Amino acid sequence: MATTTSLKISADAEPRQAAWVRWLDLSDRSLAILLLAPAALLLALIIVYPVCRLAYTSFFSLSLTSGLPAEFVGFENYQLMIDDPVFWETTWNTVLITLITVPGALIVGLGLALMANLPFRTQWPVRLSLLIPWALPLSFAGLIFAWFFHSEYGVVNDILNRVGLPGIIWFNSPNWAFAAICLTIIWKTSSFMALIILAGLQTIPRSLYEAADVDGAGRFRQFFEITLPLLKPSIVVALIFRTITSLQTFDIPYMMTGGGPGTSTATLAMYIHQNTVSFLDLGYGSALAVVMFALSMCVTAVYLRMIRTKE
Amino acid sequence: MNRNIRAAALACATIVSFAAPALADTELKIYISSQHQPNIWRKAIDQYEAKTPGVKVTIETGGNTSEAQAQYLNTVMSAKDPSLDVLILDVIRPAQFAAAGWTSDVEGKDLSSYLPAYAEANTVGGKTVALPAFADAQFLYYRKDLLDKYGIQPPKSWDELKTAAKTITDGEKNPNLQGLSFQGKAIEGAVCTFLLPYWSQGKALTNNGRLSFDHDAAVKSLALWKSFADDGTAKKNIAEVATDDTRKEFQAGNVVFAVNWSYAWAQSQGAESAVAGKVGVARLPAMAGGESATCLGGWEWGVSAFSAHQDEAKKLVAYLSSPEVSKFMAINASLLPTYADLYKDGDVTKAAPWFADALQVVETAKPRPVTPRYNEVSETIRTTVNAVLAGVSTPEEGASQIESRLKRILR
């Protein structure tokens, strides 16, 4: 009801309707529905349908290797998940990667953005170097860093040896392998953070800093009292994107360690891939994917709430 | 006018004569992994095309490891894509592909002329689901020159190997020389790494598709490999080593003993090899008191269930699996035949003299568990082997993990 009135008001404000609307003799409400329909349909087709289908499949025992027809099993796949230590391990690894790499990429990204915003005479080399890690495909970054961290031929161990430190067999220990993966993810994703923050930085009027200069505020104070508060919206947007992609981390650990040693660096997305693509267990894989979807939704909801209270 | 009619008739005749053979031609597409020398298979297929008018065969390649190949085919086949007619499959996969309904049965083929292990690997529930392409097995590669120098015979047990490796590496004083290279990375090869000493203690992993797990034998197997990593016989980063790493290190002259498949031999004799002419191949060592065991490898030809040319595809597969092609591939590509008598064939032994000794090894090679859920079995074993070698789990924990997970998969 409320929508109709508000539409009426807006229609009153703009009394001249297009000729074809008058010709079709449409009410404002039908017109709104008509115009929104294609977008809504497309959205339903590419988002709502697959998600519903995924949830539906997760209630079936559907394994292409069993040769058996799909059978409705209710919550059995979810029950299996609770008893599955690999599910908990991969979920924990995913959360840990998020907790380490999101703040890590934020700090590095903020630094890079501030640097790129400095009044250099020519700024394109700085901005280009920001774009390169962002533009590189994830799996390619994983492949390059797998070589960097290789215990015998890698450049990282070579540098360690040159400064007199012993080389590390990175992928032979869960902790070092995890560290190598997190460093790679931070390298790969901080430039994305920097790009969004840089856009935010450029919307801050110079006059604010000039006024602060007049008032005698130092660089440090200017950063905390002007830059950071005004950057908050850009930072939150960057955090939302980064956190969601982090929950879906797949390519970099897949290329660097394949989840090893053992399953100690495997992520939830890798476990979903393994169950669906390698084991062809579509029922269990769908149930896992539903959990990941729910996790992403929760995180987004928290962030959106954060923005609302901030405003 | 008359001339115009004649020209039109000629044009029609030309169109018909070009169109007719095009209509009769059957286009078959065959998938061969890139590491399996598709260029030499191409020559065998050229001969087939020459004597089978109306059939054209194109080759699609890709996937240079068994896992990469399987992942590609999993995607194509689960989409019921009809573009591939014939597929090359790792010996562990025909059962899975048949259960998923991805391959069609090859009816009326007598498998008794093949080596028994391959007849078995391609038979699921009494039906022939694929035909053998070539055989394979793991062998112990060793540096004949170094063993001769120290007066050591090829080791019969893993303990002997450990002592021999220590004597040679201590004597050579070369920091780059390692005693033994095997596969510790979480790849298919690591499944065989686990099974070699396990089988060698006379234990089986499955019995009629059911799990028959021997916990103590599994602990001993994992402990054996871990001891090689701990006492310096193998490199400290052995958990990073894949099959082709072993081949490269051995070929560069940095390894005394290596566990590898037959493909490594041809390359170790090649122009780029530092050890050409210095390589010996023997059966793999056994556990103390046990018998030597090796992992059965090899590849098979399957006909896609989604192919629109079932009869033609089956005829092509029968040809590719025939003794004449097997001999051609043995001579030209050093691929082990699946027919016993070819190992004594004069032309074959002239091209690859070591084949004469390989038959005994291939004949006693054991197949990995035949089950449609093999991918899960494999993943369980290979990640555990990798975790034990990296020191994440102890051999006891590893054996318990394998047991509890295999119980769920093979219930």
Side-chain angles (χ1 to χ4, degrees):
Chain A
M1 227 28 196
T3 35
T4 330
T5 21
S6 69
L7 274 170
K8 276 259 165 58
I9 291 164
S10 67
D12 289 344
E14 188 107 34
R16 285 173 55 197
Q17 283 180 319
W20 64 275
V21 175
R22 263 179 287 138
W23 179 74
L24 276 174
D25 196 21
L26 285 172
S27 74
D28 293 325
R29 192 195 169 97
S30 329
L31 176 66
I33 292 173
L34 190 73
L35 293 180
L36 283 176
L41 229 107
L42 196 69
L43 213 65
L45 207 70
I46 63 169
I47 298 179
V48 182
Y49 172 72
V51 170
C52 292
R53 185 67 211 237
L54 188 74
Y56 177 75
T57 314
S58 74
F59 295 117
F60 283 83
S61 152
L62 176 55
S63 164
L64 295 186
T65 57
S66 68
L68 299 170
E71 190 191 335
F72 183 79
V73 291
F75 283 91
E76 199 177 281
N77 285 323
Y78 293 91
Q79 192 65 45
L80 275 174
M81 211 184 292
I82 292 167
D83 301 330
D84 180 358
V86 185
F87 163 70
W88 291 111
E89 189 185 7
T90 51
T91 306
W92 169 239
N93 287 344
T94 307
V95 170
L96 204 60
I97 284 178
T98 306
L99 291 177
I100 295 170
T101 64
V102 174
L106 175 65
I107 294 166
V108 177
L110 186 62
L112 289 171
L114 289 171
M115 225 164 70
N117 203 37
L118 288 177
F120 287 119
R121 191 166 301 221
T122 38
Q123 285 188 324
W124 67 265
V126 183
R127 298 200 178 162
L128 186 69
S129 62
L130 272 186
L131 275 171
I132 288 173
W134 176 70
L136 213 59
L138 278 165
S139 53
F140 193 44
L143 204 62
I144 297 172
F145 276 77
W147 275 104
F148 282 178
F149 286 105
H150 192 281
S151 64
E152 281 173 60
Y153 322 114
V155 68
V156 178
N157 274 359
D158 186 53
I159 293 169
L160 287 178
N161 289 333
R162 276 165 204 262
V163 298
L165 290 167
I168 294 165
I169 306 177
W170 292 86
F171 303 134
N172 217 1
S173 121
N175 292 340
W176 285 122
F178 211 87
I181 287 172
C182 287
L183 282 171
T184 308
I185 295 176
I186 291 175
W187 176 86
K188 174 76 180 80
T189 57
S190 50
S191 58
F192 169 75
M193 297 291 241
L195 286 171
I196 294 184
I197 295 171
L198 183 60
L201 272 176
Q202 288 173 343
T203 62
I204 303 176
R206 289 229 56 83
S207 56
L208 288 177
Y209 293 101
E210 283 156 13
D213 271 337
V214 173
D215 291 344
R219 288 253 164 256
F220 205 66
R221 231 177 122 195
Q222 284 182 14
F223 176 74
F224 281 100
E225 308 236 326
I226 302 170
T227 315
L228 216 48
L230 289 175
L231 269 184
K232 249 175 201 161
S234 330
I235 289 178
V236 173
V237 169
L239 280 178
I240 292 178
F241 279 113
R242 187 69 270 283
T243 312
I244 291 170
T245 50
S246 173
L247 289 173
Q248 297 162 355
T249 300
F250 175 85
D251 309 57
I252 286 177
Y254 185 78
M255 298 308 283
M256 286 178 77
T257 62
T263 47
S264 54
T265 58
T267 64
L268 185 54
M270 286 166 76
Y271 195 48
I272 294 171
H273 170 264
Q274 187 178 67
N275 274 287
T276 48
V277 177
S278 302
F279 302 166
L280 298 165
D281 190 345
L282 303 186
Y284 191 54
S286 301
L288 289 167
V290 166
V291 168
M292 188 156 97
F293 179 71
L295 215 64
S296 307
M297 290 304 275
C298 288
V299 170
T300 317
V302 168
Y303 274 124
L304 288 180
R305 212 180 159 75
M306 246 168 71
I307 304 184
R308 208 166 54 184
T309 48
K310 284 283 162 1
E311 283 168 358
Chain B
M1 193 65 188
N2 206 356
R3 195 182 293 167
N4 281 351
I5 291 171
R6 222 180 304 154
L10 195 67
C12 284
T14 317
I15 290 166
V16 169
S17 64
F18 275 109
L23 281 174
D25 259 3
T26 307
E27 288 255 2
L28 293 177
K29 200 179 223 179
I30 170 168
Y31 178 83
I32 303 178
S33 320
S34 39
Q35 88 265 36
H36 292 133
Q37 311 178 63
N39 51 331
I40 301 176
W41 284 107
R42 179 73 251 176
K43 287 181 192 156
I45 291 168
D46 285 344
Q47 291 176 16
Y48 182 74
E49 282 180 346
K51 64 182 186 186
T52 323
V55 173
K56 278 250 167 278
V57 184
T58 50
I59 295 180
E60 181 175 318
T61 62
N64 61 359
T65 66
S66 177
E67 291 90 61
Q69 185 250 21
Q71 262 185 16
Y72 172 69
L73 288 183
N74 277 356
T75 316
V76 174
M77 302 313 277
S78 54
K80 301 191 183 357
D81 187 333
S83 65
L84 296 175
D85 300 289
V86 173
L87 326 160
I88 199 167
L89 299 172
D90 196 339
V91 68
I92 51 190
R93 308 211 193 274
Q96 180 217 316
F97 274 60
W102 291 349
T103 49
S104 8
D105 299 340
V106 187
E107 302 98 357
K109 176 81 188 177
D110 178 21
L111 292 183
S112 62
S113 53
Y114 296 103
L115 291 168
Y118 293 95
E120 203 178 301
N122 289 302
T123 308
V124 175
K127 287 187 176 140
T128 306
V129 298
L131 293 179
F134 59 91
D136 208 352
Q138 284 180 305
F139 298 85
L140 180 72
Y141 286 74
Y142 61 90
R143 285 283 298 277
K144 212 157 56 182
D145 57 327
L146 289 178
L147 263 68
D148 288 347
K149 182 175 168 189
Y150 292 87
I152 296 170
Q153 288 297 309
K156 293 265 183 283
S157 76
W158 291 108
D159 292 337
E160 281 175 40
L161 181 141
K162 205 176 269 190
T163 321
K166 191 164 167 42
T167 312
I168 295 171
T169 47
D170 285 355
E172 288 296 300
K173 294 191 175 60
N174 171 0
N176 286 327
L177 189 69
Q178 30 175 328
L180 171 68
S181 180
F182 60 94
Q183 289 86 56
K185 197 172 178 164
I187 53 159
E188 186 55 41
V191 177
C192 292
T193 299
F194 169 75
L195 287 170
L196 300 174
Y198 179 85
W199 280 336
S200 152
Q201 298 167 71
K203 306 297 177 192
L205 196 62
T206 52
N207 190 1
N208 289 327
R210 290 260 171 89
L211 185 66
S212 69
F213 193 80
D214 190 292
H215 186 84
D216 292 341
V219 174
K220 273 190 200 158
S221 166
L222 292 169
L224 173 80
W225 297 114
K226 181 74 174 118
S227 76
F228 286 133
D230 288 344
D231 67 16
T233 307
K235 284 200 302 186
K236 283 224 154 30
N237 73 339
I238 193 73
E240 281 186 320
V241 173
T243 315
D244 217 38
D245 298 327
T246 298
R247 195 264 306 166
K248 285 181 199 147
E249 286 167 359
F250 185 79
Q251 200 175 311
N254 294 334
V255 177
V256 182
F257 297 106
V259 178
N260 215 332
W261 303 87
S262 55
Y263 85 103
W265 201 86
Q267 295 181 51
S268 73
Q269 299 304 310
E272 285 172 25
S273 172
V275 292
K278 302 173 183 168
V279 182
V281 183
R283 309 190 76 171
L284 285 166
M287 292 291 270
E291 258 189 55
S292 169
T294 182
C295 219
L296 182 85
W299 291 72
E300 325 301 316
W301 292 115
V303 174
S304 163
F306 312 114
S307 162
H309 313 287
Q310 293 290 325
D311 289 342
E312 290 88 346
K314 280 173 192 171
K315 276 181 202 145
L316 175 63
V317 162
Y319 164 77
L320 290 173
S321 183
S322 67
E324 79 178 279
V325 173
S326 196
K327 181 171 170 176
F328 178 82
M329 293 308 288
I331 294 169
N332 294 288
S334 295
L335 296 180
L336 288 167
T338 50
Y339 297 93
D341 48 0
L342 282 180
Y343 287 82
K344 295 178 205 99
D345 185 285
D347 299 333
V348 172
T349 49
K350 194 172 157 224
W354 64 289
F355 273 24
D357 303 323
L359 178 64
Q360 192 201 8
V361 179
V362 175
E363 273 182 332
T364 52
K366 289 180 196 288
R368 283 158 274 172
V370 176
T371 155
R373 296 183 69 179
Y374 180 74
N375 283 347
E376 287 160 85
V377 173
S378 162
E379 200 271 340
T380 300
I381 297 176
R382 62 181 196 240
T383 51
T384 310
V385 169
N386 179 254
V388 169
L389 288 172
V392 180
S393 330
T394 64
E396 284 78 12
E397 287 165 358
S400 302
Q401 277 162 20
I402 293 179
E403 184 169 20
S404 69
R405 290 188 63 193
L406 288 189
K407 255 185 196 157
R408 259 190 296 160
I409 299 165
L410 297 172
R411 63 186 160 199

